[in-house]
Amino acid sequence: MSELFDNYEQEYCEISAEISRQLTQLRAQKSGGETRKILMQKIEKSFSEAEEDLRHMEIEAHSVQANKREQLKLRLNNYKKDLEGSRREFRTETAKAHRG
């Protein structure tokens, strides 16, 4: 496989785990205020970093042999779905903050 793909994948997984931790913290904070706002900004930054890693992984997936490419694309698509699920959860939490 591509060593670069593996490196980006490892970095993505670490960022994804951080996003999960951050979302847990966000759900635990019932009050608004500056702390919640800072956390939301950190989460947005983490999403940007994760999306950048996914873009790099996609580029790397196109550069490997065809027989390995499909396997990498499948993993990449799963990561994209997971990230979109986290993004939806984040939007739900931010909507709650605006309503409440």
Side-chain angles (χ1 to χ4, degrees):
M1 298 257 186
S2 166
E3 187 176 329
L4 273 176
F5 184 95
D6 292 341
N7 291 342
Y8 288 124
E9 183 177 35
Q10 180 180 356
E11 189 174 300
Y12 168 81
C13 289
E14 290 169 6
I15 294 169
S16 179
E18 179 62 25
I19 289 171
S20 293
R21 285 189 292 274
Q22 291 170 331
L23 288 172
T24 299
Q25 289 176 331
L26 187 63
R27 282 190 304 272
Q29 286 189 348
K30 298 300 179 196
S31 62
E34 195 62 27
T35 304
R36 186 174 174 92
K37 184 177 179 181
I38 291 169
L39 181 56
M40 289 168 58
Q41 290 170 346
K42 286 180 182 180
I43 295 171
E44 282 290 353
K45 184 175 185 267
S46 294
F47 276 124
S48 294
E49 292 171 358
E51 289 164 354
E52 183 177 336
D53 282 335
L54 290 177
R55 281 191 296 277
H56 288 292
M57 289 165 65
E58 192 160 15
I59 291 167
E60 285 304 309
H62 287 291
S63 69
V64 299
Q65 297 172 347
N67 61 338
K68 297 179 181 181
R69 188 177 305 144
E70 289 307 312
Q71 180 184 5
L72 295 181
K73 284 184 175 182
L74 180 62
R75 284 168 37 195
L76 184 59
N77 286 335
N78 286 334
Y79 291 140
K80 287 179 179 181
K81 289 175 187 174
D82 289 343
L83 189 62
E84 183 53 37
S86 295
R87 186 68 81 187
R88 275 192 302 275
E89 186 178 342
F90 178 65
R91 284 193 296 264
T92 299
E93 287 300 317
T94 56
K96 286 179 186 178
H98 286 58
R99 283 181 281 179

